[in-house]
Amino acid sequence: MDVKIEDSWKAVLKEEFGKPYFLDLIDFVKQEYATHEVFPKGRDIFNAFAHCPFDKVKVVILGQDPYHGPNQAHGLSFSVKPGVPFPPSLLNIFKEINRDLDMSMPSDGDLTRWADQGVLLLNATLTVRAHQAGSHQKKGWETFTDAVIKRIADGKQHVVFLLWGAYAQKKASFIDDSIHLKLHAPHPSPLSAHRGFLGCGHFSKTNEYLAKNGLEEINW
């Protein structure tokens, strides 16, 4: 089927789009958008891919669900649009960047600026029903995003995977340590950030690895 996704990703993922699980997933998602309030807006479901083509991926940050409150989710994990207050996990991410790199707190939580530099901000599940966290889990999105991670792990070199929390760390088995860098930490949620996310130094470690391999560092 013809999926409206950025061209380089369409080529890399074309085998997925005809598989039965994906066709069932699309039917489910269309029905959900027709009958419920669902986030993000339909045009933003594949926003992470639009801003970070396959050949430009240098870093992958894996989230779980899109935000399920109004005006928050726009297709990039952990990111919110300008003018939207920082969710607690995102605030902790910025606190760690401030501590790690001595960078001031940004004026907004829109991480499009990271995506445009080669940071794939990928949620494991790309849609969610309003105010119902986890409502679109186990419908096929995880199979699709696992395929995305496998294509990156198998088709590229020297990618940094930032795996925050147990859910993201389950994906680590797909990724060859001899080709890529995997960095593990607790989730930046206030429930767990104090157990090692704050102080992890992942942002400086990412840039050190990129520079060592001749790649441009991320301006966090």
Side-chain angles (χ1 to χ4, degrees):
M1 66 181 300
D2 184 34
V3 175
K4 291 184 172 134
I5 193 170
E6 189 274 335
D7 285 347
S8 68
W9 286 106
K10 184 178 279 193
V12 168
L13 296 166
K14 61 181 183 291
E15 292 177 12
E16 296 302 307
F17 299 142
K19 290 182 178 178
Y21 88 85
F22 193 84
L23 300 175
D24 290 344
L25 170 64
I26 294 303
D27 286 344
F28 167 77
V29 169
K30 285 180 176 176
Q31 181 66 17
E32 285 286 292
Y33 274 90
T35 55
H36 297 90
E37 186 178 16
V38 176
F39 300 130
K41 292 189 185 312
R43 65 174 181 268
D44 289 336
I45 292 173
F46 294 117
N47 205 20
F49 303 91
H51 285 279
C52 188
F54 180 78
D55 61 325
K56 293 190 175 176
V57 176
K58 296 189 284 190
V59 181
V60 178
I61 298 179
L62 187 67
Q64 190 164 354
D65 252 14
Y67 296 120
H68 54 84
N71 302 315
Q72 290 182 306
H74 64 125
L76 305 176
S77 62
F78 295 104
S79 179
V80 291
K81 292 180 181 178
V84 177
F86 299 161
S89 292
L90 182 59
L91 179 60
N92 281 332
I93 290 169
F94 289 147
K95 283 180 179 177
E96 176 55 19
I97 291 171
N98 170 258
R99 188 209 62 80
D100 187 18
L101 299 173
D102 196 26
M103 291 179 67
S104 58
M105 197 68 71
S107 59
D108 64 65
D110 186 351
L111 303 183
T112 303
R113 58 186 179 272
W114 295 2
D116 290 338
Q117 296 177 75
V119 181
L120 183 67
L121 295 160
L122 182 67
N123 279 315
T125 303
L126 298 188
T127 55
V128 68
R129 197 183 287 184
H131 312 298
Q132 296 184 41
S135 50
H136 286 187
Q137 291 178 8
K138 299 180 180 175
K139 302 295 184 182
W141 278 130
E142 295 91 341
T143 304
F144 175 72
T145 52
D146 281 358
V148 172
I149 295 166
K150 287 173 183 172
R151 297 295 194 287
I152 296 168
D154 295 344
K156 297 181 68 71
Q157 291 187 325
H158 309 313
V159 175
V160 182
F161 291 85
L162 300 182
L163 302 171
W164 299 335
Y167 187 88
Q169 288 160 16
K170 288 177 185 173
K171 312 292 186 184
S173 61
F174 306 156
I175 304 159
D176 186 338
D177 292 78
S178 68
I179 301 173
H180 305 290
L181 177 64
K182 295 186 286 191
L183 295 175
H184 295 242
H187 195 277
S189 158
L191 298 174
S192 55
H194 62 283
R195 296 205 298 264
F197 177 81
L198 296 172
C200 69
H202 280 187
F203 303 96
S204 59
K205 289 173 183 174
T206 294
N207 279 349
E208 288 165 9
Y209 179 83
L210 294 174
K212 185 177 78 174
N213 287 286
L215 298 166
E216 191 172 347
E217 298 177 21
I218 305 299
N219 179 11
W220 300 106

